Amino acid sequence: MSLRVIEISAPNTASNKIQELAERYEAIDCWHSKRNSWFNKNEDKRETTRILVDVQNQQDMLDALQRAVSNNEGWRIILLPVEATLPRLVEEEKKPEDNNPDTIKPKTVGKFKIKNILRGSVTREELHDDMEKGASLTVDFLLLVVLSSLVAGIGLIYSDVAVIIGAMVIAPLLGPNLALAFGAALGDKPLILKAIKTNCIGIGLTLIICFVAGLFISHDIVLQSTEMMNRTNVGFASIVLALASGAAAVLSLTMGASSALVGVMVAVALMPPAVTLGVTLGNGQLGLAYGTFLLLATNIVCVNLSAQAIFRLKGIKPRTWYEEKNAKKASKINGFIWLVMLAVLAILIWLKQQHVGG
Protein backbone atom coordinates (compact mmCIF):
# COMPACT_ATOMS: atom_id res chain seq x y z
CA MET A 1 0.00 0.00 0.00
CA SER A 2 1.45 3.38 -1.06
CA LEU A 3 0.80 6.17 1.41
CA ARG A 4 1.06 9.95 1.51
CA VAL A 5 0.64 12.55 4.24
CA ILE A 6 -1.40 15.63 3.39
CA GLU A 7 -0.44 18.50 5.70
CA ILE A 8 -2.91 21.37 5.91
CA SER A 9 -2.06 24.60 7.67
CA ALA A 10 -5.19 26.75 7.96
CA PRO A 11 -7.16 28.88 10.47
CA ASN A 12 -8.63 26.73 13.21
CA THR A 13 -12.12 27.69 12.02
CA ALA A 14 -11.62 25.28 9.12
CA SER A 15 -10.60 22.31 11.30
CA ASN A 16 -14.10 20.82 11.54
CA LYS A 17 -14.50 20.87 7.77
CA ILE A 18 -11.08 19.29 7.31
CA GLN A 19 -12.01 16.57 9.80
CA GLU A 20 -15.25 15.94 7.94
CA LEU A 21 -13.44 15.61 4.62
CA ALA A 22 -10.90 13.23 6.12
CA GLU A 23 -13.74 10.93 7.15
CA ARG A 24 -15.58 11.30 3.85
CA TYR A 25 -12.53 10.34 1.78
CA GLU A 26 -11.60 7.41 4.03
CA ALA A 27 -8.44 8.77 5.60
CA ILE A 28 -6.33 6.13 7.31
CA ASP A 29 -5.42 8.50 10.14
CA CYS A 30 -5.82 12.17 11.04
CA TRP A 31 -4.26 14.33 13.77
CA HIS A 32 -4.06 18.01 14.67
CA SER A 33 -1.54 20.37 16.23
CA LYS A 34 -2.08 24.04 17.02
CA ARG A 35 0.63 26.63 16.53
CA ASN A 36 1.11 30.36 16.19
CA SER A 37 2.42 31.88 13.01
CA TRP A 38 5.75 33.22 14.29
CA PHE A 39 6.38 35.34 11.20
CA ASN A 40 2.95 37.02 11.37
CA LYS A 41 2.87 40.22 13.43
CA ASN A 42 -0.78 39.66 14.27
CA GLU A 43 0.00 36.13 15.42
CA ASP A 44 -3.13 34.66 13.85
CA LYS A 45 -3.71 31.21 15.25
CA ARG A 46 -3.51 28.43 12.74
CA GLU A 47 -3.96 24.71 13.13
CA THR A 48 -1.90 22.13 11.33
CA THR A 49 -3.71 18.95 10.36
CA ARG A 50 -1.98 15.91 8.97
CA ILE A 51 -3.97 13.27 7.11
CA LEU A 52 -2.57 9.86 6.21
CA VAL A 53 -4.12 8.63 2.96
CA ASP A 54 -3.67 5.97 0.34
CA VAL A 55 -2.43 7.32 -2.99
CA GLN A 56 -5.65 6.20 -4.66
CA ASN A 57 -7.64 8.72 -2.62
CA GLN A 58 -5.13 11.57 -2.50
CA GLN A 59 -6.24 13.51 -5.61
CA ASP A 60 -9.92 13.64 -4.64
CA MET A 61 -9.04 14.62 -1.09
CA LEU A 62 -6.60 17.30 -2.23
CA ASP A 63 -9.25 18.86 -4.46
CA ALA A 64 -11.86 18.78 -1.69
CA LEU A 65 -9.45 20.25 0.86
CA GLN A 66 -8.48 23.06 -1.49
CA ARG A 67 -12.13 23.94 -2.03
CA ALA A 68 -12.71 23.90 1.72
CA VAL A 69 -9.83 26.16 2.81
CA SER A 70 -9.31 28.40 -0.24
CA ASN A 71 -11.72 31.02 1.14
CA ASN A 72 -9.51 31.47 4.21
CA GLU A 73 -6.36 33.57 4.42
CA GLY A 74 -2.99 32.10 5.30
CA TRP A 75 -3.64 28.51 4.27
CA ARG A 76 -1.22 26.03 2.74
CA ILE A 77 -1.41 22.37 1.71
CA ILE A 78 1.71 20.21 1.48
CA LEU A 79 1.91 16.67 0.12
CA LEU A 80 4.54 14.45 1.77
CA PRO A 81 5.68 10.95 0.75
CA VAL A 82 5.64 8.18 3.35
CA GLU A 83 8.54 5.74 3.41
CA ALA A 84 7.06 3.56 6.17
CA THR A 85 4.55 3.68 9.01
CA LEU A 86 4.19 1.75 12.26
CA PRO A 87 2.12 -0.07 13.25
CA ARG A 88 1.88 -1.74 9.89
CA LEU A 89 -1.39 -1.37 8.01
CA VAL A 90 -3.17 -4.57 7.11
CA GLU A 91 -6.36 -4.72 5.09
CA GLU A 92 -9.18 -5.95 7.22
CA GLU A 93 -12.89 -5.49 7.66
CA LYS A 94 -14.02 -2.52 9.70
CA LYS A 95 -15.39 -3.55 13.09
CA PRO A 96 -18.60 -1.94 14.45
CA GLU A 97 -16.89 -0.74 17.62
CA ASP A 98 -14.39 1.21 15.55
CA ASN A 99 -17.10 3.64 14.42
CA ASN A 100 -16.67 6.96 16.17
CA PRO A 101 -18.06 10.13 14.58
CA ASP A 102 -15.82 12.37 16.67
CA THR A 103 -12.44 11.15 15.55
CA ILE A 104 -10.58 9.06 13.03
CA LYS A 105 -8.69 6.13 14.43
CA PRO A 106 -5.86 4.42 12.61
CA LYS A 107 -7.55 1.96 10.30
CA THR A 108 -7.27 0.26 6.96
CA VAL A 109 -9.11 1.05 3.79
CA GLY A 110 -9.67 -2.01 1.66
CA LYS A 111 -12.60 -1.01 -0.51
CA PHE A 112 -12.21 -2.08 -4.11
CA LYS A 113 -13.22 0.42 -6.76
CA ILE A 114 -12.75 -0.07 -10.48
CA LYS A 115 -11.72 3.57 -10.93
CA ASN A 116 -8.85 3.05 -8.48
CA ILE A 117 -7.22 0.65 -10.92
CA LEU A 118 -6.73 3.58 -13.28
CA ARG A 119 -5.33 5.90 -10.62
CA GLY A 120 -1.62 6.59 -10.41
CA SER A 121 0.54 7.46 -7.43
CA VAL A 122 1.29 11.00 -8.65
CA THR A 123 -1.18 13.86 -8.30
CA ARG A 124 -2.16 16.41 -10.91
CA GLU A 125 -0.20 19.10 -9.05
CA GLU A 126 2.99 17.01 -9.04
CA LEU A 127 2.61 16.22 -12.74
CA HIS A 128 1.97 19.86 -13.58
CA ASP A 129 5.24 20.88 -11.97
CA ASP A 130 7.13 18.22 -13.94
CA MET A 131 5.40 19.16 -17.19
CA GLU A 132 6.21 22.86 -16.69
CA LYS A 133 9.88 21.99 -16.28
CA GLY A 134 9.86 19.70 -19.32
CA ALA A 135 8.25 22.38 -21.50
CA SER A 136 10.62 25.15 -20.41
CA LEU A 137 12.96 26.50 -23.06
CA THR A 138 16.20 26.85 -21.11
CA VAL A 139 19.91 26.90 -21.87
CA ASP A 140 20.15 23.37 -20.43
CA PHE A 141 17.42 22.17 -22.81
CA LEU A 142 19.22 23.63 -25.83
CA LEU A 143 22.57 22.18 -24.74
CA LEU A 144 21.01 18.74 -24.31
CA VAL A 145 19.47 19.00 -27.78
CA VAL A 146 22.87 19.82 -29.28
CA LEU A 147 24.68 17.08 -27.38
CA SER A 148 22.07 14.38 -28.00
CA SER A 149 21.97 15.31 -31.70
CA LEU A 150 25.74 14.92 -32.01
CA VAL A 151 25.79 11.66 -30.08
CA ALA A 152 22.84 10.22 -32.00
CA GLY A 153 24.38 11.30 -35.31
CA ILE A 154 27.65 9.54 -34.56
CA GLY A 155 25.82 6.44 -33.39
CA LEU A 156 23.64 6.32 -36.50
CA ILE A 157 26.50 6.88 -38.94
CA TYR A 158 28.58 4.11 -37.39
CA SER A 159 25.52 1.93 -36.65
CA ASP A 160 26.58 1.77 -33.01
CA VAL A 161 23.49 0.81 -31.01
CA ALA A 162 25.14 1.57 -27.65
CA VAL A 163 25.91 5.14 -28.71
CA ILE A 164 22.36 5.59 -30.04
CA ILE A 165 20.97 4.44 -26.69
CA GLY A 166 23.23 6.97 -24.98
CA ALA A 167 21.68 9.71 -27.12
CA MET A 168 18.21 8.48 -26.17
CA VAL A 169 19.03 8.82 -22.48
CA ILE A 170 20.09 12.45 -22.72
CA ALA A 171 17.55 13.52 -25.36
CA PRO A 172 15.19 16.19 -23.92
CA LEU A 173 12.44 15.91 -26.56
CA LEU A 174 10.24 13.90 -24.19
CA GLY A 175 9.43 16.90 -21.99
CA PRO A 176 7.65 19.24 -24.42
CA ASN A 177 5.74 16.41 -26.11
CA LEU A 178 4.29 15.08 -22.88
CA ALA A 179 3.66 18.64 -21.67
CA LEU A 180 1.65 19.24 -24.84
CA ALA A 181 -0.52 16.18 -24.17
CA PHE A 182 -0.86 17.11 -20.50
CA GLY A 183 -1.86 20.66 -21.35
CA ALA A 184 -4.48 19.35 -23.76
CA ALA A 185 -5.92 17.05 -21.09
CA LEU A 186 -6.26 20.02 -18.69
CA GLY A 187 -7.21 22.59 -21.31
CA ASP A 188 -4.19 24.62 -20.19
CA LYS A 189 -3.64 26.93 -23.17
CA PRO A 190 -0.46 28.64 -21.84
CA LEU A 191 1.16 25.24 -21.23
CA ILE A 192 0.10 24.02 -24.69
CA LEU A 193 1.63 27.04 -26.42
CA LYS A 194 4.77 26.79 -24.30
CA ALA A 195 5.16 23.10 -25.15
CA ILE A 196 4.62 23.69 -28.88
CA LYS A 197 7.23 26.45 -28.90
CA THR A 198 9.82 24.38 -27.05
CA ASN A 199 9.11 21.28 -29.14
CA CYS A 200 9.45 23.17 -32.43
CA ILE A 201 12.70 24.82 -31.35
CA GLY A 202 14.12 21.51 -30.08
CA ILE A 203 13.33 19.57 -33.24
CA GLY A 204 14.26 22.55 -35.43
CA LEU A 205 17.66 22.87 -33.76
CA THR A 206 18.25 19.14 -34.24
CA LEU A 207 17.41 19.38 -37.95
CA ILE A 208 19.69 22.40 -38.46
CA ILE A 209 22.67 20.74 -36.75
CA CYS A 210 22.23 17.50 -38.66
CA PHE A 211 21.53 19.26 -41.96
CA VAL A 212 24.85 21.07 -41.71
CA ALA A 213 26.57 17.81 -40.78
CA GLY A 214 24.95 16.09 -43.77
CA LEU A 215 26.57 18.59 -46.13
CA PHE A 216 30.00 17.19 -45.26
CA ILE A 217 29.10 13.50 -45.19
CA SER A 218 29.47 11.43 -48.35
CA HIS A 219 26.52 9.59 -49.88
CA ASP A 220 28.22 6.22 -49.38
CA ILE A 221 28.53 6.70 -45.62
CA VAL A 222 24.81 7.46 -45.31
CA LEU A 223 23.76 4.55 -47.52
CA GLN A 224 26.04 2.09 -45.72
CA SER A 225 24.64 2.97 -42.28
CA THR A 226 22.22 0.19 -41.33
CA GLU A 227 20.74 2.11 -38.39
CA MET A 228 20.16 5.22 -40.49
CA MET A 229 18.56 3.28 -43.32
CA ASN A 230 16.24 1.65 -40.80
CA ARG A 231 14.89 5.13 -39.97
CA THR A 232 14.06 5.84 -43.61
CA ASN A 233 11.61 2.96 -43.83
CA VAL A 234 8.19 3.65 -42.35
CA GLY A 235 5.28 1.27 -42.05
CA PHE A 236 2.13 0.71 -40.08
CA ALA A 237 4.20 -1.00 -37.40
CA SER A 238 5.78 2.41 -36.75
CA ILE A 239 2.34 3.73 -35.76
CA VAL A 240 1.90 0.93 -33.23
CA LEU A 241 5.39 1.54 -31.82
CA ALA A 242 4.81 5.26 -31.34
CA LEU A 243 1.38 4.76 -29.79
CA ALA A 244 2.81 2.21 -27.36
CA SER A 245 5.75 4.49 -26.51
CA GLY A 246 3.50 7.44 -25.67
CA ALA A 247 1.17 5.30 -23.58
CA ALA A 248 4.04 3.67 -21.71
CA ALA A 249 5.59 7.05 -20.98
CA VAL A 250 2.45 8.46 -19.37
CA LEU A 251 1.73 5.26 -17.44
CA SER A 252 5.26 5.35 -16.05
CA LEU A 253 4.97 9.02 -15.13
CA THR A 254 1.65 8.64 -13.33
CA MET A 255 3.03 5.68 -11.39
CA GLY A 256 6.10 7.69 -10.33
CA ALA A 257 8.70 5.92 -12.50
CA SER A 258 12.10 7.47 -13.17
CA SER A 259 11.97 10.23 -15.80
CA ALA A 260 15.21 8.88 -17.27
CA LEU A 261 13.54 5.53 -17.89
CA VAL A 262 10.59 7.24 -19.54
CA GLY A 263 12.97 9.31 -21.61
CA VAL A 264 14.55 6.17 -23.01
CA MET A 265 11.18 4.75 -24.00
CA VAL A 266 9.98 7.84 -25.83
CA ALA A 267 13.23 9.28 -27.19
CA VAL A 268 13.71 6.05 -29.14
CA ALA A 269 10.82 7.21 -31.31
CA LEU A 270 11.88 10.87 -31.67
CA MET A 271 15.58 11.71 -31.63
CA PRO A 272 16.95 9.06 -34.07
CA PRO A 273 14.51 9.87 -36.90
CA ALA A 274 14.96 13.62 -36.33
CA VAL A 275 18.73 13.24 -36.70
CA THR A 276 18.34 10.99 -39.75
CA LEU A 277 15.98 13.50 -41.39
CA GLY A 278 18.48 16.33 -40.96
CA VAL A 279 21.41 14.29 -42.27
CA THR A 280 19.57 12.96 -45.33
CA LEU A 281 18.32 16.45 -46.22
CA GLY A 282 21.81 17.89 -45.96
CA ASN A 283 23.15 14.96 -47.95
CA GLY A 284 20.70 15.54 -50.78
CA GLN A 285 18.96 12.18 -50.30
CA LEU A 286 15.44 13.57 -50.72
CA GLY A 287 13.78 10.20 -51.25
CA LEU A 288 15.23 8.87 -48.01
CA ALA A 289 14.43 12.15 -46.27
CA TYR A 290 10.74 11.82 -47.24
CA GLY A 291 10.49 8.39 -45.64
CA THR A 292 12.21 9.66 -42.49
CA PHE A 293 9.91 12.69 -42.38
CA LEU A 294 6.88 10.39 -42.42
CA LEU A 295 8.41 8.37 -39.59
CA LEU A 296 9.19 11.43 -37.45
CA ALA A 297 5.78 13.02 -38.06
CA THR A 298 4.02 9.72 -37.30
CA ASN A 299 5.96 9.32 -34.07
CA ILE A 300 5.18 12.85 -32.86
CA VAL A 301 1.48 12.55 -33.68
CA CYS A 302 1.10 9.08 -32.16
CA VAL A 303 3.06 9.88 -29.00
CA ASN A 304 0.92 12.95 -28.33
CA LEU A 305 -2.33 11.17 -29.21
CA SER A 306 -1.74 8.16 -26.97
CA ALA A 307 -0.29 10.29 -24.15
CA GLN A 308 -3.34 12.55 -24.13
CA ALA A 309 -5.65 9.53 -24.13
CA ILE A 310 -3.87 7.94 -21.16
CA PHE A 311 -3.88 11.23 -19.22
CA ARG A 312 -7.65 11.38 -19.58
CA LEU A 313 -8.06 7.70 -18.81
CA LYS A 314 -6.03 8.12 -15.61
CA GLY A 315 -8.37 10.86 -14.45
CA ILE A 316 -6.01 13.79 -15.02
CA LYS A 317 -8.45 16.70 -15.24
CA PRO A 318 -8.93 20.22 -13.84
CA ARG A 319 -10.18 20.70 -10.29
CA THR A 320 -13.26 22.85 -10.94
CA TRP A 321 -16.33 21.96 -12.97
CA TYR A 322 -15.99 25.00 -15.23
CA GLU A 323 -12.35 24.28 -15.99
CA GLU A 324 -13.15 20.62 -16.63
CA LYS A 325 -15.86 21.59 -19.11
CA ASN A 326 -13.40 23.75 -21.06
CA ALA A 327 -10.73 21.05 -20.80
CA LYS A 328 -13.04 18.44 -22.32
CA LYS A 329 -13.77 20.74 -25.22
CA ALA A 330 -10.09 21.52 -25.78
CA SER A 331 -9.17 17.84 -25.42
CA LYS A 332 -11.74 16.79 -28.01
CA ILE A 333 -10.54 19.41 -30.49
CA ASN A 334 -6.90 18.49 -29.90
CA GLY A 335 -7.62 14.79 -30.17
CA PHE A 336 -9.58 15.30 -33.40
CA ILE A 337 -6.68 17.24 -34.93
CA TRP A 338 -4.19 14.50 -34.01
CA LEU A 339 -6.53 11.81 -35.43
CA VAL A 340 -6.91 13.68 -38.72
CA MET A 341 -3.15 14.12 -38.97
CA LEU A 342 -2.66 10.42 -38.21
CA ALA A 343 -5.17 9.47 -40.92
CA VAL A 344 -3.34 11.65 -43.45
CA LEU A 345 0.00 10.14 -42.48
CA ALA A 346 -1.42 6.61 -42.70
CA ILE A 347 -2.57 7.35 -46.28
CA LEU A 348 0.85 8.76 -47.19
CA ILE A 349 2.55 5.69 -45.69
CA TRP A 350 0.26 3.40 -47.67
CA LEU A 351 0.96 5.33 -50.90
CA LYS A 352 4.69 5.14 -50.25
CA GLN A 353 4.51 1.40 -49.70
CA GLN A 354 2.49 0.97 -52.87
CA HIS A 355 5.05 3.03 -54.81
CA VAL A 356 7.95 0.98 -53.46
CA GLY A 357 6.09 -2.26 -54.06
CA GLY A 358 5.21 -1.25 -57.62
Side-chain angles (χ1 to χ4, degrees):
M1 179 183 293
S2 299
L3 305 175
R4 296 285 179 91
V5 169
I6 301 176
E7 181 178 287
I8 311 100
S9 180
N12 51 23
T13 54
S15 60
N16 290 335
K17 182 62 177 179
I18 294 174
Q19 179 81 18
E20 177 186 336
L21 291 174
E23 294 178 2
R24 182 186 305 175
Y25 289 96
E26 301 176 326
I28 298 172
D29 201 356
C30 179
W31 60 98
H32 310 270
S33 60
K34 295 182 179 181
R35 67 183 180 88
N36 291 329
S37 181
W38 61 271
F39 55 86
N40 192 323
K41 294 181 179 180
N42 296 325
E43 294 188 353
D44 295 331
K45 292 185 177 180
R46 290 196 296 174
E47 186 170 276
T48 299
T49 304
R50 293 179 178 85
I51 303 175
L52 181 65
V53 297
D54 187 275
V55 293
Q56 293 178 339
N57 298 323
Q58 63 180 342
Q59 186 67 76
D60 291 339
M61 186 175 291
L62 274 176
D63 292 344
L65 288 170
Q66 188 173 344
R67 289 192 295 267
V69 302
S70 59
N71 293 328
N72 298 279
E73 293 184 0
W75 64 273
R76 185 166 298 279
I77 298 176
I78 302 173
L79 188 63
L80 305 172
V82 175
E83 297 295 335
T85 179
L86 296 174
R88 217 172 106 196
L89 299 174
V90 181
E91 294 187 3
E92 59 183 14
E93 293 185 1
K94 185 178 177 182
K95 298 179 181 179
E97 58 268 26
D98 289 337
N99 291 323
N100 188 339
D102 298 327
T103 186
I104 298 179
K105 296 181 179 180
K107 61 183 180 180
T108 59
V109 180
K111 290 187 177 181
F112 174 79
K113 297 178 181 179
I114 295 179
K115 69 176 183 178
N116 287 340
I117 299 177
L118 303 176
R119 295 288 182 87
S121 60
V122 181
T123 62
R124 176 183 60 247
E125 289 75 14
E126 293 172 279
L127 283 173
H128 197 284
D129 184 59
D130 291 337
M131 296 298 106
E132 281 280 358
K133 293 177 182 177
S136 298
L137 184 60
T138 63
V139 175
D140 290 340
F141 176 85
L142 296 176
L143 286 175
L144 284 175
V145 168
V146 173
L147 294 174
S148 58
S149 299
L150 295 175
V151 173
I154 294 172
L156 289 167
I157 290 173
Y158 290 98
S159 297
D160 192 323
V161 177
V163 175
I164 296 174
I165 293 176
M168 295 173 187
V169 174
I170 63 176
L173 298 182
L174 166 68
N177 278 279
L178 290 187
L180 178 57
F182 184 78
L186 292 182
D188 190 337
K189 186 177 180 180
L191 182 58
I192 292 174
L193 295 176
K194 184 178 181 180
I196 292 175
K197 176 183 176 181
T198 303
N199 201 26
C200 290
I201 292 177
I203 294 177
L205 181 58
T206 300
L207 293 177
I208 292 173
I209 293 172
C210 297
F211 177 85
V212 173
L215 295 174
F216 302 95
I217 299 175
S218 68
H219 292 0
D220 292 338
I221 291 178
V222 174
L223 296 175
Q224 290 174 4
S225 171
T226 303
E227 291 297 327
M228 194 167 288
M229 289 300 99
N230 288 339
R231 269 76 185 183
T232 63
N233 295 320
V234 58
F236 293 107
S238 303
I239 296 178
V240 177
L241 172 62
L243 288 172
S245 297
V250 174
L251 286 172
S252 300
L253 279 174
T254 56
M255 296 309 295
S258 168
S259 59
L261 175 61
V262 178
V264 173
M265 290 188 293
V266 178
V268 66
L270 297 177
M271 182 55 75
V275 170
T276 304
L277 176 58
V279 171
T280 51
L281 284 174
N283 201 246
Q285 304 279 359
L286 298 184
L288 297 178
Y290 176 66
T292 308
F293 166 75
L294 290 180
L295 177 61
L296 178 60
T298 299
N299 290 339
I300 293 175
V301 170
C302 291
V303 165
N304 279 276
L305 182 62
S306 62
Q308 182 181 329
I310 296 298
F311 274 131
R312 297 295 299 181
L313 185 64
K314 299 286 285 185
I316 304 299
K317 58 185 180 180
R319 181 175 60 86
T320 65
W321 174 85
Y322 179 75
E323 291 176 339
E324 183 178 354
K325 182 180 178 181
N326 291 335
K328 285 184 178 179
K329 182 179 179 180
S331 183
K332 288 180 180 179
I333 294 174
N334 206 337
F336 177 76
I337 293 174
W338 288 125
L339 284 173
V340 170
M341 292 177 65
L342 180 59
V344 172
L345 288 170
I347 293 173
L348 293 176
I349 291 172
W350 179 79
L351 291 174
K352 185 178 185 299
Q353 289 180 335
Q354 293 299 311
H355 176 73
V356 173

